[in-house]
Amino acid sequence: MNMGCNTCMDSCSDRKRLLMEIGKVDFVLKDLNLYLDTHPYDQQAIEAFRQYNNLKTALVREYTEKYGPIVLNCLDNNDREWKWALQDWPWERGYH
């Protein structure tokens, strides 16, 4: 039995799950943003935006810690290498 393959599959599936969750939360944030553009005093929408923004921050942090930066503002200022360019891109192996 090849445990390395299962580990890779688990890692790929977790990576894909995180990307999907980030995408879903990002969609909600864009939708709330559009709504708030026309309803700037809606306190429930503002609170929902804050909650989803915090969730996205946590998901992006988790993704970055496990797989590398997904957005430029996640780069570590103390790094001596440009990790953004060294990682696999989302359309490359293991993301389908």
Side-chain angles (χ1 to χ4, degrees):
M1 188 153 120
N2 187 346
M3 294 304 289
C5 184
N6 288 339
T7 302
C8 176
M9 289 174 63
D10 291 344
S11 175
C12 291
S13 106
D14 182 55
R15 192 174 195 169
K16 186 176 180 179
R17 179 195 62 80
L18 278 170
L19 283 172
M20 291 292 291
E21 287 301 311
I22 291 167
K24 289 176 188 177
V25 171
D26 198 46
F27 179 83
V28 171
L29 284 168
K30 284 177 177 42
D31 201 39
L32 284 167
N33 182 197
L34 291 172
Y35 176 81
L36 285 165
D37 283 349
T38 58
H39 301 81
Y41 303 107
D42 186 329
Q43 293 302 305
Q44 284 182 310
I46 292 170
E47 182 56 31
F49 186 90
R50 284 187 188 122
Q51 289 176 358
Y52 279 101
N53 198 41
N54 289 337
L55 177 58
K56 182 181 176 187
T57 299
L59 288 168
V60 168
R61 185 179 317 115
E62 180 182 354
Y63 185 95
T64 300
E65 288 170 359
K66 290 180 176 180
Y67 307 109
I70 191 170
V71 292
L72 284 173
N73 64 352
C74 289
L75 293 175
D76 184 352
N77 290 331
N78 297 320
D79 279 345
R80 295 180 161 259
E81 58 188 14
W82 191 244
K83 289 183 181 177
W84 180 258
L86 298 176
Q87 69 181 9
D88 290 339
W89 294 97
W91 55 86
E92 293 178 332
R93 59 177 237 257
Y95 295 98
H96 309 26

Short mmCIF file of all heavy atoms in Angstrom, two decimals, residues 9 15 17 22 25 27-29 40 42-44 46 50 52 57-58 60 63-65 68 74 81 83 91:
data_model
loop_
_atom_site.label_atom_id
_atom_site.label_comp_id
_atom_site.label_asym_id
_atom_site.label_seq_id
_atom_site.Cartn_x
_atom_site.Cartn_y
_atom_site.Cartn_z
N MET A 9 -3.07 12.80 -2.22
CA MET A 9 -4.47 12.98 -2.58
C MET A 9 -5.21 13.77 -1.50
O MET A 9 -6.02 14.63 -1.80
CB MET A 9 -5.13 11.63 -2.83
CG MET A 9 -4.66 10.98 -4.12
SD MET A 9 -5.28 9.32 -4.37
CE MET A 9 -7.03 9.62 -4.49
N ARG A 15 -6.36 21.21 -0.40
CA ARG A 15 -5.99 22.44 -1.12
C ARG A 15 -7.16 22.90 -1.99
O ARG A 15 -7.51 24.08 -2.01
CB ARG A 15 -4.77 22.16 -1.98
CG ARG A 15 -4.12 23.37 -2.56
CD ARG A 15 -2.83 22.96 -3.25
NE ARG A 15 -2.02 24.12 -3.51
CZ ARG A 15 -0.77 24.08 -3.91
NH1 ARG A 15 -0.18 22.92 -4.10
NH2 ARG A 15 -0.11 25.19 -4.14
N ARG A 17 -10.33 22.13 -1.54
CA ARG A 17 -11.41 22.54 -0.63
C ARG A 17 -11.19 23.98 -0.16
O ARG A 17 -12.12 24.78 -0.18
CB ARG A 17 -11.49 21.60 0.58
CG ARG A 17 -12.57 21.98 1.58
CD ARG A 17 -12.40 21.28 2.91
NE ARG A 17 -11.15 21.60 3.59
CZ ARG A 17 -10.93 22.70 4.29
NH1 ARG A 17 -11.86 23.64 4.38
NH2 ARG A 17 -9.79 22.89 4.91
N ILE A 22 -12.55 29.71 -0.23
CA ILE A 22 -12.12 31.10 -0.43
C ILE A 22 -12.92 31.73 -1.56
O ILE A 22 -13.38 32.87 -1.44
CB ILE A 22 -10.60 31.17 -0.69
CG1 ILE A 22 -9.83 30.80 0.57
CG2 ILE A 22 -10.19 32.55 -1.19
CD1 ILE A 22 -8.35 30.53 0.36
N VAL A 25 -16.56 32.44 -0.32
CA VAL A 25 -16.60 33.59 0.60
C VAL A 25 -16.32 34.88 -0.15
O VAL A 25 -16.96 35.90 0.09
CB VAL A 25 -15.62 33.37 1.78
CG1 VAL A 25 -15.47 34.62 2.62
CG2 VAL A 25 -16.07 32.20 2.63
N PHE A 27 -17.07 35.51 -3.23
CA PHE A 27 -18.29 35.83 -3.97
C PHE A 27 -19.30 36.54 -3.06
O PHE A 27 -19.90 37.55 -3.44
CB PHE A 27 -18.91 34.57 -4.57
CG PHE A 27 -20.19 34.84 -5.32
CD1 PHE A 27 -20.14 35.28 -6.63
CD2 PHE A 27 -21.42 34.69 -4.71
CE1 PHE A 27 -21.32 35.55 -7.33
CE2 PHE A 27 -22.60 34.95 -5.39
CZ PHE A 27 -22.55 35.39 -6.70
N VAL A 28 -19.48 36.03 -1.85
CA VAL A 28 -20.40 36.65 -0.89
C VAL A 28 -19.94 38.07 -0.58
O VAL A 28 -20.75 39.00 -0.52
CB VAL A 28 -20.52 35.81 0.40
CG1 VAL A 28 -21.30 36.55 1.48
CG2 VAL A 28 -21.16 34.46 0.11
N LEU A 29 -18.64 38.25 -0.39
CA LEU A 29 -18.11 39.59 -0.10
C LEU A 29 -18.36 40.56 -1.25
O LEU A 29 -18.73 41.71 -1.02
CB LEU A 29 -16.61 39.52 0.21
CG LEU A 29 -16.24 38.98 1.58
CD1 LEU A 29 -14.76 38.69 1.66
CD2 LEU A 29 -16.68 39.95 2.66
N PRO A 40 -25.75 51.95 2.19
CA PRO A 40 -24.56 52.13 3.03
C PRO A 40 -24.83 52.17 4.55
O PRO A 40 -23.88 52.12 5.32
CB PRO A 40 -23.99 53.46 2.55
CG PRO A 40 -25.14 54.19 1.95
CD PRO A 40 -26.03 53.12 1.37
N ASP A 42 -27.06 49.96 6.15
CA ASP A 42 -27.66 48.69 6.57
C ASP A 42 -26.70 47.97 7.52
O ASP A 42 -25.72 47.36 7.09
CB ASP A 42 -27.96 47.83 5.34
CG ASP A 42 -28.72 46.55 5.69
OD1 ASP A 42 -28.52 46.03 6.81
OD2 ASP A 42 -29.48 46.09 4.83
N GLN A 43 -27.00 48.06 8.81
CA GLN A 43 -26.11 47.52 9.83
C GLN A 43 -25.96 46.00 9.75
O GLN A 43 -24.89 45.47 10.02
CB GLN A 43 -26.58 47.95 11.22
CG GLN A 43 -26.45 49.44 11.47
CD GLN A 43 -25.02 49.91 11.31
OE1 GLN A 43 -24.10 49.40 11.95
NE2 GLN A 43 -24.80 50.89 10.44
N GLN A 44 -27.02 45.30 9.39
CA GLN A 44 -26.93 43.84 9.26
C GLN A 44 -25.98 43.46 8.12
O GLN A 44 -25.18 42.53 8.26
CB GLN A 44 -28.31 43.23 9.01
CG GLN A 44 -29.17 43.17 10.25
CD GLN A 44 -30.51 42.49 9.95
OE1 GLN A 44 -31.19 42.85 9.00
NE2 GLN A 44 -30.85 41.53 10.78
N ILE A 46 -23.54 45.33 6.97
CA ILE A 46 -22.19 45.71 7.39
C ILE A 46 -21.60 44.64 8.31
O ILE A 46 -20.44 44.24 8.15
CB ILE A 46 -22.19 47.10 8.06
CG1 ILE A 46 -22.52 48.19 7.03
CG2 ILE A 46 -20.86 47.39 8.75
CD1 ILE A 46 -22.80 49.56 7.63
N ARG A 50 -18.37 42.17 7.67
CA ARG A 50 -17.25 42.01 8.62
C ARG A 50 -16.99 40.53 8.91
O ARG A 50 -15.85 40.08 8.95
CB ARG A 50 -17.55 42.74 9.93
CG ARG A 50 -17.39 44.23 9.83
CD ARG A 50 -17.53 44.88 11.21
NE ARG A 50 -17.57 46.30 11.06
CZ ARG A 50 -18.56 47.09 11.48
NH1 ARG A 50 -19.61 46.57 12.10
NH2 ARG A 50 -18.50 48.39 11.30
N TYR A 52 -17.82 37.81 7.12
CA TYR A 52 -17.27 37.10 5.96
C TYR A 52 -15.86 37.56 5.64
O TYR A 52 -15.03 36.76 5.19
CB TYR A 52 -18.19 37.26 4.73
CG TYR A 52 -19.35 36.31 4.77
CD1 TYR A 52 -20.61 36.73 5.17
CD2 TYR A 52 -19.19 34.97 4.41
CE1 TYR A 52 -21.69 35.86 5.20
CE2 TYR A 52 -20.25 34.09 4.44
CZ TYR A 52 -21.50 34.53 4.84
OH TYR A 52 -22.54 33.65 4.88
N THR A 57 -10.15 36.10 5.64
CA THR A 57 -8.80 36.32 6.16
C THR A 57 -8.26 35.04 6.78
O THR A 57 -7.11 34.66 6.55
CB THR A 57 -8.80 37.48 7.17
OG1 THR A 57 -9.23 38.67 6.52
CG2 THR A 57 -7.42 37.69 7.77
N ALA A 58 -9.09 34.36 7.56
CA ALA A 58 -8.67 33.11 8.21
C ALA A 58 -8.40 32.02 7.18
O ALA A 58 -7.40 31.28 7.29
CB ALA A 58 -9.73 32.65 9.21
N VAL A 60 -7.58 32.40 3.96
CA VAL A 60 -6.39 32.76 3.19
C VAL A 60 -5.14 32.51 4.04
O VAL A 60 -4.13 32.00 3.54
CB VAL A 60 -6.46 34.21 2.69
CG1 VAL A 60 -5.12 34.69 2.15
CG2 VAL A 60 -7.53 34.35 1.62
N TYR A 63 -4.55 28.75 4.05
CA TYR A 63 -4.03 28.33 2.75
C TYR A 63 -2.55 28.72 2.62
O TYR A 63 -1.72 27.92 2.20
CB TYR A 63 -4.84 28.94 1.61
CG TYR A 63 -4.40 28.43 0.26
CD1 TYR A 63 -5.05 27.37 -0.34
CD2 TYR A 63 -3.32 29.00 -0.40
CE1 TYR A 63 -4.64 26.88 -1.57
CE2 TYR A 63 -2.90 28.52 -1.63
CZ TYR A 63 -3.56 27.46 -2.20
OH TYR A 63 -3.14 26.98 -3.42
N THR A 64 -2.23 29.95 3.00
CA THR A 64 -0.87 30.46 2.88
C THR A 64 0.10 29.65 3.74
O THR A 64 1.21 29.33 3.30
CB THR A 64 -0.83 31.95 3.27
OG1 THR A 64 -1.68 32.67 2.39
CG2 THR A 64 0.58 32.51 3.18
N GLU A 65 -0.31 29.31 4.95
CA GLU A 65 0.56 28.53 5.84
C GLU A 65 0.82 27.14 5.28
O GLU A 65 1.92 26.61 5.41
CB GLU A 65 -0.08 28.43 7.22
CG GLU A 65 -0.04 29.72 7.99
CD GLU A 65 -0.88 29.70 9.27
OE1 GLU A 65 -1.51 28.65 9.56
OE2 GLU A 65 -0.90 30.72 9.96
N GLY A 68 1.48 28.15 0.54
CA GLY A 68 2.16 29.32 0.00
C GLY A 68 1.16 30.43 -0.30
O GLY A 68 -0.04 30.24 -0.22
N CYS A 74 -0.15 38.47 1.21
CA CYS A 74 0.16 37.38 2.14
C CYS A 74 1.65 37.08 2.21
O CYS A 74 2.06 36.24 2.98
CB CYS A 74 -0.56 36.10 1.72
SG CYS A 74 -2.32 36.16 1.97
N GLU A 81 13.20 35.07 -0.48
CA GLU A 81 12.88 34.58 -1.82
C GLU A 81 11.48 35.03 -2.19
O GLU A 81 10.66 35.32 -1.33
CB GLU A 81 13.00 33.05 -1.89
CG GLU A 81 12.11 32.34 -0.92
CD GLU A 81 12.37 30.84 -0.87
OE1 GLU A 81 13.39 30.38 -1.38
OE2 GLU A 81 11.54 30.15 -0.30
N LYS A 83 8.44 33.88 -3.05
CA LYS A 83 7.66 32.64 -3.05
C LYS A 83 6.49 32.69 -4.02
O LYS A 83 6.05 31.66 -4.52
CB LYS A 83 7.16 32.33 -1.64
CG LYS A 83 8.25 31.89 -0.71
CD LYS A 83 7.70 31.52 0.64
CE LYS A 83 8.82 31.11 1.57
NZ LYS A 83 8.34 30.80 2.90
N TRP A 91 -3.85 26.64 -11.83
CA TRP A 91 -4.23 25.83 -12.98
C TRP A 91 -3.22 24.72 -13.27
O TRP A 91 -3.41 23.93 -14.17
CB TRP A 91 -4.43 26.71 -14.22
CG TRP A 91 -3.22 27.55 -14.51
CD1 TRP A 91 -2.13 27.18 -15.25
CD2 TRP A 91 -2.97 28.88 -14.08
NE1 TRP A 91 -1.21 28.19 -15.29
CE2 TRP A 91 -1.72 29.27 -14.58
CE3 TRP A 91 -3.69 29.78 -13.30
CZ2 TRP A 91 -1.17 30.52 -14.33
CZ3 TRP A 91 -3.14 31.04 -13.07
CH2 TRP A 91 -1.89 31.38 -13.58
#
